[in-house]
């Protein structure tokens, strides 16, 4: 049987929403899956006949919000309702996270998070609905709103892709375990870098870009670029990959107060350079971008490296 995701009783009518992943029951709560897996949502209607069913995606309408001005607060994030017309009238609906409002990230197609709502109309006219875009807490949707999340794979970089489709939040915050990033509401640059570690089960507190090196010490530092865009250390030598930098390292740009995560070594191979790709969020939803193409990157480039996770017992 599918796992129970949501059970509601409205105006005396009880109904539930369940889910399967590749035909197997999903764990209770939000649905976490890998790209390529099939997630099927199903509504278990109340007793009596259902006249109509509507499934909706709830997608953030903004690319970024600022929680810090004029004083710290949780800035409300508006959400747009997008009906899944192919599922109209059906008790089952396949779930995907393909955005209609937020930009696609082709390098991680199929990854990201999406909120869902189901609305029922019963014969006789009664209308029921699971929590939707008005169910808001600390600026974003509450945990009671259905979420389906796909990750690229089970690596650190793979878990980061769960935050695709969420806005950049300058000053994403909240108590441990209830941070806006843990709740898939959105993230700032440093919280995105930490999120992947937390999803791997590694105890890692959220922090700022200026304090991230307390968790991930500096592995190397680039102070200039040569004519080919290759990053050079203070000794004038190129920063080598994988010794001086490697995918999964954090890239700290102190002059622009920004943190990104090195995604892929692009040619020229074996050295850190402007063509290399990073995964980051900077006044825009998370994306993969060449370091040299981003206005959020600035010299010096500090390469920060989290300690190696302990071996699994």
């Amino acid at each position: 049987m599918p796992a129970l995701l949501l059970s509601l009783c409205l105006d005396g009518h009880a109904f539930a929403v369940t889910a399967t992943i590749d035909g197997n029951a999903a764990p209770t709560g939000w649905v976490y899956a890998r790209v390529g897996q099939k997630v099927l949502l199903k509504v278990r209607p109340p007793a009596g006949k259902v006249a109509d069913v509507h499934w909706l995606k709830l997608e953030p309408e903004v690319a970024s919000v600022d929680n810090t001005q004029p004083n710290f607060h949780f800035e409300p994030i508006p959400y747009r309702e997008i009906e899944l017309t192919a599922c109209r009238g059906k008790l089952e609906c396949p779930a995907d996270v393909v955005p209609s409002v937020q930009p696609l990230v082709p390098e991680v197609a199929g990854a990201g998070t999406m909120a869902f709502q189901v609305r029922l109309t019963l014969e006789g006219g009664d209308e029921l609905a699971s929590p939707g875009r008005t169910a808001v807490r600390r600026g974003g949707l509450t945990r009671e709103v259905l979420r389906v999340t796909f990750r690229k794979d089970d690596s650190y970089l793979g878990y980061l892709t769960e935050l695709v489709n969420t806005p950049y939040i300058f000053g994403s915050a909240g108590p441990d375990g209830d941070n806006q990033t843990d709740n898939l509401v959105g993230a700032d640059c440093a919280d995105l870098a930490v999120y992947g570690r937390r999803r791997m089960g590694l105890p890692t507190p959220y922090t700022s870009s200026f304090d991230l090196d307390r968790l991930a010490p500096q592995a190397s530092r680039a102070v200039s670029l040569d004519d080919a865009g290759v990053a050079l250390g203070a000794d004038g030598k190129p920063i080598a990959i994988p010794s001086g930098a490697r995918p999964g390292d954090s890239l700290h740009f102190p002059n622009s107060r920004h943190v990104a995560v090195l995604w892929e070594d692009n040619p020229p191979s074996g050295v850190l350079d402007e063509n290399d790709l990073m995964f980051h969020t900077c006044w825009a939803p998370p994306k993969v971008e060449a370091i040299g193409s981003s206005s959020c990157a600035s010299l010096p480039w500090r390469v920060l490296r989290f300690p190696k996770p302990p071996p699994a017992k």
Side-chain angles (χ1 to χ4, degrees):
M1 290 291 292
L4 182 65
L5 296 182
L6 184 69
S7 180
L8 293 167
C9 184
L10 298 175
D11 298 327
H13 299 291
F15 72 102
V17 181
T18 61
T20 59
I21 302 175
D22 288 343
N24 300 311
T28 301
W30 294 348
V31 181
Y32 290 92
R34 291 186 300 276
V35 171
Q37 292 184 307
K38 181 180 179 180
V39 172
L40 185 66
L41 300 177
K42 182 175 181 178
V43 61
R44 188 188 306 160
K49 294 184 178 180
V50 176
D52 205 0
V53 181
H54 295 267
W55 295 88
L56 301 100
K57 287 180 175 179
L58 309 174
E59 191 174 345
E61 290 192 301
V62 293
S64 64
V65 297
D66 188 345
N67 283 348
T68 69
Q69 298 297 325
N71 300 298
F72 181 82
H73 65 291
F74 289 104
E75 181 70 15
I77 298 170
Y79 292 86
R80 183 179 303 178
E81 298 175 346
I82 302 163
E83 185 181 359
L84 301 173
T85 55
C87 296
R88 185 178 298 169
K90 299 179 181 179
L91 297 179
E92 296 182 348
C93 188
D96 65 62
V97 296
V98 177
S100 298
V101 180
Q102 299 299 329
L104 289 167
V105 183
E107 296 86 354
V108 293
T113 190
M114 189 67 66
F116 291 83
Q117 183 185 39
V118 60
R119 296 175 181 171
L120 305 177
T121 302
L122 305 182
E123 288 191 351
D126 287 343
E127 296 182 350
L128 311 175
S130 64
R133 64 177 180 178
T134 60
V136 174
R137 178 173 175 267
R138 292 196 174 121
L141 299 176
T142 68
R143 295 193 70 87
E144 287 70 37
V145 179
L146 295 178
R147 306 284 213 292
V148 176
T149 299
F150 288 90
R151 62 188 178 277
K152 178 177 177 289
D153 53 41
D154 294 338
S155 68
Y156 167 70
L157 289 174
Y159 280 115
L160 293 181
T161 64
E162 292 182 339
L163 291 169
V164 169
N165 297 340
T166 66
Y168 171 81
I169 301 179
F170 188 57
S172 51
D176 191 57
D178 198 18
N179 182 283
Q180 287 179 301
T181 308
D182 287 332
N183 288 334
L184 298 174
V185 172
D188 62 23
C189 60
D191 285 354
L192 179 142
V194 168
Y195 174 82
R197 298 269 300 180
R198 294 170 69 90
R199 284 287 288 127
M200 293 175 70
L202 301 172
T204 312
Y206 286 115
T207 187
S208 70
S209 60
F210 288 111
D211 290 330
L212 189 64
D213 56 5
R214 297 184 182 181
L215 306 174
Q218 180 174 295
S220 62
R221 186 173 186 268
V223 298
S224 62
L225 303 176
D226 68 12
D227 292 341
V230 174
L232 306 176
D235 59 2
K237 296 180 180 179
I239 305 296
I241 292 178
S243 56
R246 64 185 65 156
D249 285 345
S250 294
L251 300 175
H252 180 215
F253 308 103
N255 286 341
S256 47
R257 302 176 60 189
H258 186 52
V259 169
V261 178
L262 185 60
W263 180 264
E264 184 178 290
D265 178 21
N266 268 355
S269 301
V271 292
L272 182 64
D273 63 85
E274 288 187 311
N275 293 325
D276 292 337
L277 300 179
M278 61 183 185
F279 186 81
H280 72 134
T281 180
C282 186
W283 299 105
K287 62 181 176 180
V288 177
E289 184 177 25
I291 301 173
S293 298
S294 174
S295 61
C296 297
S298 61
L299 286 169
W301 302 356
R302 299 181 66 214
V303 179
L304 310 181
R305 183 169 298 163
F306 285 105
K308 187 176 180 181
K313 295 183 180 180

